Amino acid sequence: YMAVRNTIYIALIRIASNFPIILVFALLLREIKSRKARSAIQSISYIPYFISWVAVGGLANNLFTQDGGVLNNLLNMLGMESVSWYNEPRYWWAILALSSLWKGMGWATLIYMSAMGSINDELYDACRIDGGGRFRQMITVTLPGISNVIMLQLLLDVASIVRDDADQIMAMTNNSPALDN
């Protein structure tokens, strides 16, 4: 029961957090006018997709370790106490969702950006002539233009609720005692 419950909870948290964040990131990335800057940001966000979960687990261990972890060192420099990230169950939902977001953001953004590339530029010109600013163009042209891709991505995310990301769980948890709960 706990394994099924946790699988469904993790998938729902991923959908609720990652789906809108990635969509907003893609929309904001589209608004960057400099092609070089947009390409650089997109390339940097795409790199984690190629990193294995084992390497991500090692990075997370270096980031969240209580003694010598980067995040706890930063907290100590600010005069705050260290947090035992791996030993408290309440942090695991966020750690798993954020690591999934970091790893998958580039790929999903690539899908949205390719869909945005197929939108006719004349629609943006017509909206601009009608007095629409950049936000209005995003709402009235870009979102309807990629609505089929948004729905497909949402459908794929919902369909993957029971998909087992055992590789992420095994690499990230590192036999944490908090997982007994």
Side-chain angles (χ1 to χ4, degrees), residues 14-25:
R14 283 184 191 145
I15 292 170
S17 63
N18 296 2
F19 180 76
I21 291 171
I22 291 171
L23 180 60
V24 168
F25 178 73

Side-chain angles (χ1 to χ4, degrees), residues 11-114:
L12 290 175
I13 289 170
R14 283 184 191 145
I15 292 170
S17 63
N18 296 2
F19 180 76
I21 291 171
I22 291 171
L23 180 60
V24 168
F25 178 73
L27 290 170
L28 293 175
L29 189 61
R30 166 95 164 117
E31 293 302 314
I32 297 174
K33 294 301 177 193
S34 170
R35 290 180 65 93
K36 288 182 180 182
R38 186 175 356 152
S39 295
I41 293 170
Q42 190 172 0
S43 297
I44 290 169
S45 71
Y46 193 56
I47 290 171
Y49 181 75
F50 296 106
I51 299 173
S52 72
W53 276 114
V54 174
V56 173
L59 289 170
N61 191 27
N62 289 335
L63 184 67
F64 294 119
T65 300
Q66 187 171 7
D67 297 325
V70 175
L71 197 54
N72 278 325
N73 286 342
L74 182 64
L75 289 174
N76 291 337
M77 286 175 25
L78 295 173
M80 297 161 47
E81 291 186 30
S82 295
V83 177
S84 182
W85 302 100
Y86 274 179
N87 294 326
E88 296 189 34
R90 66 179 180 203
Y91 297 122
W92 274 108
W93 304 110
I95 289 172
L96 293 174
L98 288 173
S99 64
S100 174
L101 173 67
W102 180 71
K103 191 157 169 31
M105 181 178 277
W107 175 254
T109 301
L110 182 68
I111 293 171
Y112 287 131
M113 292 298 287
S114 64

